[in-house]
Amino acid sequence: MGKLIVAEETRILPPYWEEAKVELMKRDRILRKLIPQFGDLHLVSRGEPFSTLARSIIGQQISVKAADSVWQRFLEVCPKCTPAQVLRAGEKLSTCGLSKRKAEYILDLADHFKAKRVNCDKWADMDDEDVIAELIQIRGIGRWTAEMFLIFNLLRPNILPLDDAGLLAGISHNYFSGEPVSRSDAREVAANWEPYRTVATWYLWRSLEPVPVAY
């Protein structure tokens, strides 16, 4: 796997995407109908590890719309979204609509990056679970946030975020006629998606929220 691309946003098609679409449409009758509805849209990387993680923390336990609003206010205080800029902002982060706890989490994240206590230059070559194990050592980053990072930053093809409400809602809506689903239900549906569980997850998100968003 190559080096991380450092950019605000890159729209390069993930190298596995087209093959994944073909395979998933062969194997899964729901995805066979769903995937063509979104044409050439695909997963987009936000490229820069620190801003991706900061945005993921901001998005925890709030709606996509609310998270986007807070993110835009955050960028007014920290337009470059660098660890040094966030640390300088300090208490000003509370003016962005962040809870005290989330502000603390983002400051801790910035401190980890500035002090080089994370190996972000090595993540591209590490296994999924090894990256998750390193990320969850940072305050405020649990497995869900780490999985969102693997999807939206490293573009890993086979992530199944079972703690994600959107994925469970997408499976409920598309496979169970809106009935509630458990993690084991989701795992059973997803058994046929490997090694492209990220791609299937992305299309199920799109079925609920047609405009692509990044966490």
Side-chain angles (χ1 to χ4, degrees):
M1 202 170 292
K3 296 289 184 184
L4 283 174
I5 298 170
V6 179
E8 174 58 24
E9 186 169 318
T10 177
R11 297 195 174 276
I12 297 170
L13 182 72
Y16 52 81
W17 200 262
E18 292 300 331
E19 180 180 340
K21 285 166 62 176
V22 171
E23 282 297 314
L24 290 169
M25 286 191 289
K26 280 183 187 174
R27 301 179 198 171
D28 188 298
R29 62 183 180 81
I30 299 297
L31 294 174
R32 191 178 308 136
K33 295 177 183 177
L34 188 60
I35 288 173
Q37 296 176 28
F38 297 94
D40 294 331
L41 292 177
H42 59 82
L43 176 64
V44 171
S45 171
R46 292 207 168 254
E48 206 289 308
F50 178 74
S51 61
T52 303
L53 289 166
R55 190 165 187 167
S56 292
I57 290 171
I58 286 172
Q60 291 171 0
Q61 299 177 323
I62 59 176
S63 71
V64 170
K65 185 176 180 181
D68 190 56
S69 174
V70 176
W71 177 250
Q72 294 308 318
R73 281 182 279 167
F74 173 80
L75 289 179
E76 290 173 9
V77 175
C78 302
K80 293 182 180 178
C81 193
T82 62
Q85 194 173 63
V86 168
L87 290 169
R88 281 197 302 272
E91 293 183 4
K92 288 183 183 177
L93 294 180
S94 62
T95 66
C96 307
L98 287 169
S99 67
K100 182 180 178 183
R101 179 166 292 180
K102 282 188 180 180
E104 289 173 354
Y105 289 163
I106 290 176
L107 286 167
D108 187 57
L109 174 69
D111 187 57
H112 269 78
F113 270 75
K114 193 166 188 297
K116 300 190 184 301
R117 291 200 297 275
V118 290
N119 298 303
C120 59
D121 57 330
K122 297 179 181 177
W123 287 339
D125 298 311
M126 290 166 61
D127 291 340
D128 294 342
E129 290 299 326
D130 290 338
V131 177
I132 290 171
E134 185 163 308
L135 285 171
I136 62 176
Q137 301 305 310
I138 302 171
R139 286 182 66 203
I141 296 182
R143 186 174 180 91
W144 176 85
T145 303
E147 288 171 337
M148 292 303 105
F149 181 81
L150 288 171
I151 292 171
F152 286 104
N153 185 275
L154 297 180
L155 299 179
R156 294 296 172 88
N158 197 33
I159 305 301
L160 184 70
L162 289 171
D163 294 320
D164 186 74
L167 171 62
L168 296 180
I171 290 174
S172 168
H173 175 74
N174 289 284
Y175 294 85
F176 291 87
S177 303
E179 291 296 315
V181 299
S182 66
R183 287 164 58 98
S184 64
D185 292 331
R187 197 179 283 110
E188 188 173 333
V189 169
N192 208 28
W193 298 344
E194 293 203 52
Y196 301 120
R197 295 183 299 179
T198 295
V199 181
T201 296
W202 189 89
Y203 281 106
L204 290 174
W205 282 334
R206 294 292 71 71
S207 74
L208 304 175
E209 178 73 38
V211 179
V213 295
Y215 286 76

